[in-house]
């Protein structure tokens, strides 16, 4: 029973009480178990064999442990590997250190696995290991889990064997490979064995390794390719193939990160593309509407503890509606009265953004909140050794595309979209034709604000939610809209995505901050270079 | 006829350098400064004694007033709203900060030349001036105007903030420049220095006020107001709008740089937060509250808002952002001419606010005119 | 109307002096002294094969137009015929996709920008009267007055007696003397039109482009405008774009009809009015269109 950080709601006090109860229980068990604690002789002998200064002897002792049929053997070997297996300095007991981070280590008896209080550097002599022994231990542990356990643990054990196969273990691994039923486990074992064979000078084995992206394969092949052996040329060609494949996947990875960063930009900017691009309203409080969307997600999650998935699903309409409602209120109370005065609108909405930020700070707290992600958004989709896509980023990317498609369809095919376009192009004419321009303004602004709320929902899955969340996106969002061409939804999509990718491509060379500066300056220069194409469509003055 | 004549006479005054508002503003500045000096010289026991801390605070306000003038010159009279004027202020501040740092320990590399005051003084003007020149040249040549200009100035100051946060810049990273001890050979810690800096800042405000006044009453000033109201027309009668804008933008940036340079020794630190977009946009609200397109309005606005800020951040720190935000909204919606607009309306001289564009007011007058015709 | 004449006389004298002082025209003593514009070998304005399109829409389509020195030309055409776009091209606001635009035989207007073109002597009045609303009437005229437009000179410029006299004359001409100290923003629509024409006069252009000068004017004002424009012609070239056929008839010697971006017909008002293609375009005399 370890404290579970994601349990969230549990109070600290209760946690302490539980821990105390647990300790009492363990103590009680220990007292009761004392008569039976006469350890079986054999395990102790095995452990005592480890108590030697010769690493070779230690290795043999470990081999003996692995070959025995003692229950705790995996645990011992793992502890030995981690440097957590030790012997009582003035005594005969063996301990496993469960946590060696502090000065006083909690320890358990290695044989009985019962709590043995605490130990320190002075009272427990930890068995030392060297690199050879470490390799040997890893091989042993891998074989142990290969021979037992489910497919997943066998697979990870097989993968651990790559580069660790030695002359000692090669035969047993080969045997295991022949017995293995799972295709994927067998594949890993083949790689491990081929790598061993190549090291022994077997040219045929190189073929198995062609195109393998495992770092260990590359690391092993590199010296061979650089060496003088007969294999060098062929190894070089295999290595070259691996390298080019890796580069390709690296690029794909960068592209993915870029697109994912870009999709956040697009989400943040797409609402602006409507309010600013289509309506011409400068809404500096747009970032705060994003923040409101994110806080809505957080609040729904607080209301539904333990169900982050459901909460997220509800937050999508919720964030849209709440932020949209804020937008409508802002439009009715402020923006409506500042029509045709863009600089004043800019200042007034900036004031609103300050008020909203402070409001959130006062109502919730100035601290950042963490929004939990549902299980299906955690982790990564590992396509191969070189390419893995984080699920939450992938989801945000898809979400962005869905929102974009929805908005585009809304503007293109619905009555509201038609009216919005009519009002933007010729307000007086639209009114004359019966369009209620004021109502259209309100709905359009509400829509833009609602989309900002959606951006907030998406952002809450990637970063912590705080009062300053929106502020950090406002400058970027405006640049994306302006860069893409005001009033052009496709432009916003392309601009956001390309800025994201450019930023990501630059990052490895110049670092994150400088990359951002370069992108900012680049956009500024671009805007100044091509203002007509972006700001005002070519036309005559009237 | 008489109506026109009256208006005409009232109006001519705004072309003269020494209008009533100019005289009054200069007088208030000078008398105020002298009063502070006298009350400061009184013994501590005296009830009217003005403490050194107050003098330092007022000196800081002066630098803010200078910055407000710079923003008003281009926003009020030229119609270009810079949301990045804090950048010029900060550049001037960093130039001064380098000079101050060089007084205690020699600076590495190129920065070592900053230990000479003439070089530093030049840098205070040139660093913001050159940035404004390059940036403005690019922007105005391509006719980036209105909110687009505002947005890219905001991006500019944001980019500079990120850049100055980097330690590689050699300017103290996020801590900025601090630990100033000496200015022109005098210690910075004494009250004498506080008073001297206060006077220097006050004089700078006065000079900048006169400079701006001279510019705005010149033909160039009228061209700039014309540009604000009908840019294309100005171009079609043969003025190079981009040059006009560039000239005023650079002058404005330099005034902001001087303000920053005076600010740094009084506050004792300059760091990248001065580049933050929030600061720059706060300056805009000073000008908006005071009354854009009136120079005294900008000065008044800077003073009022900063005094409010000093009082409120002390008394109710949470309320300050509410009030600042509320000011933005209320001023733009209810007081588009700011305090200066209220004053001139109250004085009944509705035409006197220099170039202020109150369409409603104009419409009213037009209707009155038509009714009387 | 003698006021205008004296204005113009004085202007050409001043212009001559100014030309001699121009540093960028050292070898120009070979050219006629009155103006940098060389009209010895042909027309003052020459558009050849000009086309421009916006987003696929051809606003101007292979337009050819020639204006002679001192000519008064009226240009008419239905909405969307490309009249305003043509003015945009001449004044440098819009760059054509192809074609040539020459001012005299020396100045290729396509290589110049708006202020350069304005300073060469092409003045333009907008369709919607555009004056500087925050400045008073005399200041509006002062800004438009020909002179050195460079920043430093503008900063130090003072209104001398001569300039004051010119302003007075133009105020007289435009009937705005009593309004001289009023803000331009307060003027009535017709007065704004006059002020803008006055600003054109202050500029002393060789070529005036006038877009719908009489919109919003009363009948007597219209007459005055007609009189003024006909007076100007001869010394300066005037191109008038107008919808009001009565007004066009009262001033026009030569009329050009634009349609879909190119010239449909050209000739005297009677010739043009009799042209069957023109009649078809205007659909039986539906002349008065909304602006």
């Amino acid at each position: 029973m370890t404290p579970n950080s994601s349990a969230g709601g549990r109070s600290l006090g209760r946690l302490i009480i539980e821990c105390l109860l647990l300790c009492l229980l363990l103590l009680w068990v220990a007292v009761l178990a004392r008569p039976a604690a006469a350890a079986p002789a054999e395990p102790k002998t095995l452990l005592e064999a480890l108590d030697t200064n010769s690493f070779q002897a230690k290795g043999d002792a470990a081999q003996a442990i692995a070959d025995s049929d003692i229950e705790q053997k995996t645990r011992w070997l793992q502890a030995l590997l981690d440097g957590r297996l030790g012997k009582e300095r003035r005594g005969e007991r063996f301990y496993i250190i469960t946590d060696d981070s502090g000065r006083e280590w909690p320890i358990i008896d290695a044989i009985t696995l019962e709590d043995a209080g605490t130990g320190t550097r002075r009272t427990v002599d930890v068995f030392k290991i060297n690199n050879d022994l470490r390799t040997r231990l890893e091989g042993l542990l891998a074989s142990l889990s290969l021979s037992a356990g489910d497919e997943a643990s066998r697979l990870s054990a097989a993968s651990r064997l790559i580069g660790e196969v030695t002359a000692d273990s090669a035969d047993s691994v080969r045997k295991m490979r022949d017995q293995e039923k799972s295709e994927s486990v067998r594949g890993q074992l083949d790689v491990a064995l081929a790598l061993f064979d190549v090291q022994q000078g077997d040219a045929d084995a190189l073929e198995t390794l062609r195109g393998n992206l495992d770092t260990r394969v590359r690391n092993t092949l590199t010296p061979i390719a650089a060496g003088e052996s007969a294999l060098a040329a062929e190894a070089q060609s295999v290595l070259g193939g691996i390298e080019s494949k890796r580069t390709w996947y690296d690029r794909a990875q960068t592209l993915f990160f870029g697109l994912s960063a870009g999709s956040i930009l697009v989400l943040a900017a797409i609402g602006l593309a409507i309010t600013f691009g289509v309506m011409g309203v400068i809404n500096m409080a747009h970032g705060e509407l994003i923040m409101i969307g994110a806080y809505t997600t957080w609040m729904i999650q607080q209301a539904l503890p333990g169900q982050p998935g459901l909460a997220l699903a509800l937050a999508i309409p919720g964030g849209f509606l709440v932020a949209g409602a804020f937008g409508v209120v802002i439009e009715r109370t402020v923006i409506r009265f500042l029509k045709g005065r863009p600089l004043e609108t800019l200042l007034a909405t900036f004031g609103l953004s300050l008020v909203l930020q402070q409001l959130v700070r006062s109502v919730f707290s100035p601290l950042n909140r963490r929004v939990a992600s549902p299980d299906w958004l955690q982790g990564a989709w590992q396509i191969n050794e070189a390419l893995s896509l984080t699920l939450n980023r992938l989801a945000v990317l898809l979400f962005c595309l869905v929102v974009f498609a929805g908005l585009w369809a809304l503007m293109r095919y619905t009555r509201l979209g038609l009216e919005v376009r009519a009002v933007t192009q010729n307000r007086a004419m639209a009114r004359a034709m019966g369009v209620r321009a004021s109502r259209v303004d309100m709905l359009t602004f509400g829509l833009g604000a609602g989309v900002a709320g959606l951006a907030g929902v998406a952002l809450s899955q990637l970063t912590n939610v705080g009062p300053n969340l929106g502020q950090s996106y406002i400058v970027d969002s405006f640049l994306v809209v302006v860069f893409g061409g005001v009033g052009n939804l496709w432009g916003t999509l392309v601009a956001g995505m390309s800025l994201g990718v450019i930023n990501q491509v630059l990052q490895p060379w110049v670092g994150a901050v400088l990359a951002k500066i370069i992108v900012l300056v680049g956009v500024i220069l671009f805007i100044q270079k091509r203002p007509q194409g972006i700001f005002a469509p070519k036309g005559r003055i009237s | 006829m008489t109506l026109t004549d009256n208006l005409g006479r009232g109006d001519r005054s705004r072309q003269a350098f020494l209008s009533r508002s100019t005289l009054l503003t200069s007088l208030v500045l000078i008398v105020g400064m002298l009063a502070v000096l006298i009350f400061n010289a009184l013994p501590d026991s005296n009830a009217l004694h003005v403490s050194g801390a107050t003098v330092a605070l007022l000196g800081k306000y002066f630098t803010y007033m200078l910055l407000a003038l710079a923003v008003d010159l281009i926003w009020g009279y030229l119609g270009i709203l810079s949301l990045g004027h804090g950048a010029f202020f900060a550049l001037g501040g960093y130039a001064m900060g380098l000079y101050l740092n060089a007084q205690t320990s020699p600076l590495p590399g190129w920065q070592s030349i900053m230990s000479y005051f003439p070089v530093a003084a030049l840098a205070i003007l040139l660093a913001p001036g050159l940035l404004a020149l390059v940036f403005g040249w690019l922007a105005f040549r391509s006719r980036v105007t209105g909110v687009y200009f505002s947005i890219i100035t905001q991006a500019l100051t944001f980019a500079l903030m990120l850049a100055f946060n980097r330690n590689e810049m050699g300017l103290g990273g996020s801590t900025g420049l601090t630990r100033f001890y000496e200015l022109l050979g005098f210690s910075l810690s004494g009250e004498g220095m506080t008073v001297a800096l206060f006077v220097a800042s006050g004089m700078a405000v006065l000079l900048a006020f006169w400079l701006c006044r001279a510019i705005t009453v010149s033909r160039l000033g009228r061209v700039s107001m014309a540009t604000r109201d009908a840019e294309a027309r100005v171009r079609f009668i043969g003025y190079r709008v981009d040059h006009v804008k560039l000239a005023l933008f650079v002058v404005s940036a330099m005034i902001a740089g001087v303000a920053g340079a005076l600010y740094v020794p009084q506050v004792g630190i300059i760091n990248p937060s001065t580049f933050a977009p929030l600061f720059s946009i706060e300056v805009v609200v000073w000008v908006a509250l005071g009354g854009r397109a009136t120079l005294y309005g900008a000065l008044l606005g800077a003073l009022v808002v900063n005094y409010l800020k000093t009082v409120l951040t002390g008394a109710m720190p949470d309320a300050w952002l509410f009030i600042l935000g509320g000011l933005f909204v209320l001023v733009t919606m209810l007081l588009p001419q700011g305090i200066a607009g209220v004053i001139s309306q109250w004085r009944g001289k509705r035409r006197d606010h220099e170039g202020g564009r109150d369409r409603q007011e104009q419409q009213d007058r037009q209707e009155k005119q038509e009714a009387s015709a | 109307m003698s006021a205008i004449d004296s204005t113009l006389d004085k202007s050409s004298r001043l212009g001559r002096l100014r030309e001699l002082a121009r540093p960028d025209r050292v070898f120009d003593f070979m050219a006629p002294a009155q103006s940098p514009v060389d009209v010895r070998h042909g027309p003052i304005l020459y558009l050849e094969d000009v086309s421009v399109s916006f987003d696929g829409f051809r606003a101007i389509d292979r337009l050819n137009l020639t204006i002679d020195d001192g000519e008064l030309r009226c240009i008419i055409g239905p909405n969307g015929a490309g009249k305003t776009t043509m003015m945009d091209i001449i004044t440098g606001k819009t760059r054509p996709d192809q074609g040539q635009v020459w001012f005299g035989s020396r100045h290729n207007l396509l290589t110049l920008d708006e202020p350069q073109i304005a300073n060469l002597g092409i003045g333009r009045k907008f369709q919607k009267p555009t004056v500087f609303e925050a400045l008073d009437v005399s200041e509006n005229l002062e800004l438009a007055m020909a002179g050195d437009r460079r920043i430093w000179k503008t900063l130090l410029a003072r209104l001398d007696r001569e300039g004051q006299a010119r302003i007075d004359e133009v105020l007289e001409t435009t009937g705005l003397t009593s309004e001289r100290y009023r803000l331009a923003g307060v003027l009535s629509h017709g007065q704004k039109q006059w002020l803008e024409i006055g600003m054109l006069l202050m500029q002393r252009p060789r070529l005036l482009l006038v877009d719908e000068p009489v919109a919003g004017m009363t009948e007597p004002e219209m007459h005055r405008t007609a009189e003024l424009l006909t007076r100007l012609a001869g010394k300066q070239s005037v191109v008038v774009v107008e919808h009001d056929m009565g007004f066009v008839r009262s001033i026009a010697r030569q009329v050009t009809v634009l349609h879909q971006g190119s010239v449909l017909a050209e000739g005297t008002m009677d010739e043009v009015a009799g042209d069957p293609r023109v009649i078809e375009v205007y659909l039986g005399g539906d002349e008065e269109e909304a602006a």
Side-chain angles (χ1 to χ4, degrees), chain A residues 40 70 76 107 114 117 123 194 197 297 309 332-333 367 478 496 517:
Chain A
I70 296 170
W76 290 352
I107 50 177
E114 280 157 9
T123 55
D197 291 345
T297 317
R332 285 291 96 178
T333 53
L367 300 176
F478 268 110
I517 295 172

Side-chain angles (χ1 to χ4, degrees), chain A residues 271 274-275 278-279 328 331 411 416 419-421 423-424 437-451:
Chain A
I274 294 172
T275 51
V278 179
M279 288 176 76
V328 167
E331 205 276 335
M411 295 305 266
L416 175 69
E419 289 187 348
V420 168
R421 283 180 291 145
V423 169
T424 347
S438 158
R439 184 174 144 271
V440 170
D441 283 344
M442 182 181 81
L443 290 180
T444 317
F445 197 82
L447 177 67
V451 174

Side-chain angles (χ1 to χ4, degrees), chain A residues 272-307:
Chain A
L272 264 190
I274 294 172
T275 51
F276 176 49
V278 179
M279 288 176 76
V281 169
I282 314 295
N283 180 18
M284 296 297 277
H286 186 78
E288 279 58 42
L289 293 170
I290 296 178
M291 172 194 76
I292 286 171
Y295 268 98
T296 310
T297 317
W298 180 75
M299 284 197 298
I300 292 179
Q301 213 163 69
Q302 294 307 108
L304 295 169
Q307 287 173 296

Side-chain angles (χ1 to χ4, degrees), chain B residues 12 15 143 237 239-240, chain C residues 113-114 136 139 143 149:
Chain B
R12 284 288 95 180
Q15 277 193 24
R143 302 194 185 161
I237 59 175
Y239 290 97
R240 302 215 68 103
Chain C
D113 64 7
E114 293 113 309
D136 69 25
E139 284 173 323
L143 288 194
R149 301 291 205 230

Side-chain angles (χ1 to χ4, degrees), chain C residues 125 127 129 174 176 188-198 210-229 242 244 247:
Chain C
K125 199 197 93 49
Q127 190 172 331
T174 50
L176 291 171
S188 72
H189 189 79
Q191 284 173 321
K192 283 182 186 166
Q193 294 273 41
W194 274 106
L195 177 55
E196 204 177 359
I197 293 171
V210 192
D211 205 345
E212 300 195 21
V214 295
M217 280 191 180
T218 59
E219 195 74 15
E221 282 176 328
M222 237 150 86
H223 280 301
R224 262 193 334 144
T225 313
E227 212 176 320
L228 176 68
L229 289 176
E242 189 48 76
D244 188 325
F247 179 75

Side-chain angles (χ1 to χ4, degrees), chain A residues 207-223:
Chain A
E207 285 312 303
T208 321
L209 300 177
R210 195 173 283 283
N212 193 298
L213 291 169
D214 200 299
T215 334
R216 290 163 299 186
V217 172
R218 195 173 50 152
N219 290 349
T220 316
L221 286 186
T222 310

